[in-house]
Amino acid sequence: MPNNIIFDSTLNTLYIKLDRDNLGLVTTYAENIQGLNPHTVVLDIRGLEIVPDNIQLLISSAKTIDDVVTINDSKTSEALLKDISQISICSLSYEDIPFKSEEERKLFEEYPIDAVNHYSSKRTEKINTSSESEYLNASAKFHLKEVLTEYGKYLSEEKRTELESLIKTDMVVVEKNHDTYAAFKKATGEEEDPKDYPSAHGGKVYGDKKIHFYLNKFKQDSLADMEGVLIHELFHYVISPEYTTKYPEEPRMNSFISEGLVDMYALDYMKKRSLFDNYQSNYPSEVIFTREKLKAMPDDETKHKLVLNGSIDQFIELTSKSEEDFIKDYQEAKNHETKFDKIISEISSYMPHHQDSYARNCMRLAARVSPEEALKIIKETTMELTPEMLSMSAEQTKALQDGVSKSADSYSSGDSSKQIS
């Protein structure tokens, strides 16, 4: 075994091994972290079956460090793992490290810093024991089983086998921030503005078939928000239509349809189970478009078979009278120029100080229900949902209510332009 404490100045990494024989040095180790201020701290807690009395002092010191990696094993105290999870960005289970040879294992024991840097960067084999990671991995398996129960009979045998295999794996990786994401994007020449970094993404980014979450994009105690996003990402495994190559002049169309189908099924899944009413769809226009298009299907079975197994070309063919009609409808939806978009813009104009957010919430409501149902709800709740009314006179309030009602009623009146579908 290596020394109980090692500092590698080249890698700016501090290794600390905690065991029964050196628990009295925990305070000293906390001071070492403060004094050295390393970029990475490796806490080796293999075999430690108790929680040191002063562990919180060590945790407090390590909280100031960007990258904390822990090494544990089956003997490590679960209570200790829970304490450490609040600071650990990555936790390696020693028994699960894929050593290729006995020599590689010995090298790990002799100088674990090099090995930890190697294995913790292998994203597909990273094992994160943080509470968020454990919860989301368990939730992913539960929800995929539910999806298979509900939609399995419509899926191809190949897709069912793929999902059954996924259920047996940990498919979620939880990361503290976007450092790795930013470095990856820079290396691939696809740098993004940090404000556009995603809160989560699927395996296409790294090619690792994992769902990645970034804690800095979520508020504390926001597991419900994360689980809603998780369900959306899981449906990407279920719904992955083959893209069309027939419309190069419309480069966004494939993803527009695909995201619409995925988020529509995710929303319907959550609604059916009364889950996550606060889930905020990022694709309301896409969902409204695909939901309206699928009204052309004669029954649910035909719809499910098309969405779960069909291609984009098949979706276009089976939901429209002609390709020309489909492209026209798609362009209106993409450019927010459908009749429903115009009605929502009209309604939200009555709330000048909150116009954008009100319009966005109305679109999200319509994605969850339907344009008709959304307009009914908007009419009934205008006074409750409109901050402006607090300072309005009775005359102004009536004018607002009448204006919203008139705009909402015009959607189904048949005047003006054609509707979404």
Side-chain angles (χ1 to χ4, degrees):
M1 292 293 290
N3 295 327
N4 284 333
I5 183 165
I6 302 171
F7 179 62
D8 189 316
S9 58
T10 303
L11 296 173
N12 199 14
T13 297
L14 177 65
Y15 168 89
I16 297 172
K17 174 72 172 77
L18 293 181
D19 56 39
R20 284 179 174 273
D21 296 331
N22 69 351
L23 295 185
L25 296 174
V26 169
T27 301
T28 302
Y29 294 154
E31 293 171 352
N32 290 143
I33 292 173
Q34 290 292 313
L36 293 169
N37 191 28
H39 178 272
T40 301
V41 170
V42 179
L43 293 177
D44 191 341
I45 52 176
R46 285 177 288 166
L48 190 54
E49 299 173 329
I50 60 174
V51 180
D53 293 336
N54 45 2
I55 190 64
Q56 290 303 324
L57 181 61
L58 189 67
I59 289 173
S60 179
S61 293
K63 275 184 177 179
T64 63
I65 307 303
D66 290 335
D67 190 10
V68 178
V69 179
T70 58
I71 311 172
N72 61 75
D73 61 13
S74 57
K75 295 181 180 179
T76 305
S77 161
E78 289 188 10
L80 178 58
L81 282 173
K82 185 175 181 181
D83 283 339
I84 294 293
S85 69
Q86 61 186 290
I87 57 170
S88 177
I89 190 174
C90 170
S91 186
L92 297 174
S93 173
Y94 182 75
E95 288 101 333
D96 292 329
I97 294 176
F99 295 114
K100 295 177 181 177
S101 64
E102 185 58 30
E103 181 181 359
E104 199 171 273
R105 183 183 296 276
K106 288 179 179 178
L107 288 173
F108 182 97
E109 298 296 347
E110 291 172 4
Y111 200 77
I113 288 178
D114 282 341
V116 165
N117 279 326
H118 172 67
Y119 287 112
S120 65
S121 66
K122 296 180 71 173
R123 313 200 64 80
T124 59
E125 291 158 352
K126 181 185 290 187
I127 299 167
N128 191 320
T129 59
S130 72
S131 58
E132 290 91 351
S133 181
E134 289 177 350
Y135 179 86
L136 291 172
N137 272 299
S139 295
K141 294 170 186 177
F142 170 80
H143 291 304
L144 269 186
K145 288 178 183 177
E146 288 281 288
V147 169
L148 271 174
T149 299
E150 184 167 352
Y151 297 113
K153 61 184 177 181
Y154 306 115
L155 294 168
S156 66
E157 184 177 348
E158 181 182 5
K159 178 65 74 172
R160 280 198 306 273
T161 302
E162 178 187 342
L163 295 178
E164 287 166 356
S165 178
L166 273 174
I167 290 172
K168 299 174 184 177
T169 69
D170 281 344
M171 65 193 84
V172 179
V173 175
V174 177
E175 304 185 51
K176 186 185 292 184
N177 54 47
H178 287 85
D179 287 354
T180 300
Y181 179 87
F184 178 83
K185 286 294 183 178
K186 183 176 182 180
T188 56
E190 301 175 354
E191 289 187 76
E192 300 174 8
D193 189 317
K195 68 179 176 59
D196 296 327
Y197 288 169
S199 58
H201 61 72
K204 287 185 177 180
V205 174
Y206 296 127
D208 60 0
K209 297 184 180 180
K210 302 282 184 180
I211 299 170
H212 292 254
F213 278 84
Y214 299 92
L215 291 181
N216 57 312
K217 282 282 188 173
F218 293 90
K219 297 177 182 177
Q220 279 191 322
D221 303 319
S222 59
L223 280 175
D225 293 339
M226 297 175 77
E227 193 169 356
V229 174
L230 172 68
I231 290 172
H232 171 94
E233 293 298 338
L234 287 173
F235 268 99
H236 271 292
Y237 290 116
V238 183
I239 300 171
S240 53
E242 181 183 347
Y243 280 7
T244 181
T245 58
K246 293 169 64 177
Y247 310 96
E249 70 280 3
E250 296 290 349
R252 286 183 52 206
M253 192 168 73
N254 280 311
S255 61
F256 190 95
I257 297 170
S258 181
E259 290 291 357
L261 294 173
V262 165
D263 211 43
M264 182 184 82
Y265 270 65
L267 284 165
D268 290 351
Y269 175 92
M270 288 184 267
K271 182 180 178 181
K272 182 176 181 179
R273 292 159 177 79
S274 300
L275 296 173
F276 316 123
D277 290 339
N278 292 325
Y279 170 73
Q280 299 294 304
S281 170
N282 289 324
Y283 307 98
S285 294
E286 290 88 332
V287 172
I288 295 168
F289 174 74
T290 54
R291 195 185 295 281
E292 292 292 310
K293 279 295 172 188
L294 285 168
K295 288 181 178 179
M297 296 293 95
D299 51 54
D300 283 346
E301 180 176 356
T302 307
K303 179 183 76 173
H304 294 324
K305 286 182 177 178
L306 171 62
V307 174
L308 300 173
N309 301 291
S311 65
I312 297 295
D313 283 325
Q314 289 172 321
F315 181 85
I316 294 171
E317 178 186 356
L318 295 174
T319 61
S320 297
K321 294 178 181 178
S322 67
E323 291 182 18
E324 291 75 17
D325 279 351
F326 185 91
I327 295 300
K328 182 176 182 296
D329 292 344
Y330 160 69
Q331 289 174 338
E332 287 182 356
K334 176 190 68 173
N335 296 323
H336 308 294
E337 295 173 349
T338 68
K339 182 178 180 182
F340 184 67
D341 281 301
K342 292 174 183 176
I343 293 296
I344 294 303
S345 178
E346 196 173 289
I347 289 173
S348 61
S349 69
Y350 293 110
M351 298 79 176
H353 301 300
H354 303 83
Q355 186 169 349
D356 290 343
S357 61
Y358 191 86
R360 188 162 52 249
N361 288 336
C362 288
M363 293 296 289
R364 285 170 169 166
L365 173 62
R368 188 176 286 272
V369 286
S370 70
E372 293 82 5
E373 183 63 23
L375 289 171
K376 180 181 177 182
I377 295 170
I378 290 166
K379 282 175 60 178
E380 293 173 351
T381 60
T382 298
M383 294 298 94
E384 290 85 353
L385 298 178
T386 309
E388 279 81 359
M389 62 87 62
L390 296 174
S391 58
M392 286 180 178
S393 66
E395 184 179 344
Q396 290 172 320
T397 298
K398 185 177 187 307
L400 168 63
Q401 204 160 22
D402 289 347
V404 171
S405 294
K406 183 180 178 180
S407 297
D409 290 343
S410 70
Y411 181 74
S412 56
S413 66
D415 60 5
S416 184
S417 59
K418 61 178 267 186
Q419 295 191 20
I420 298 172
S421 58

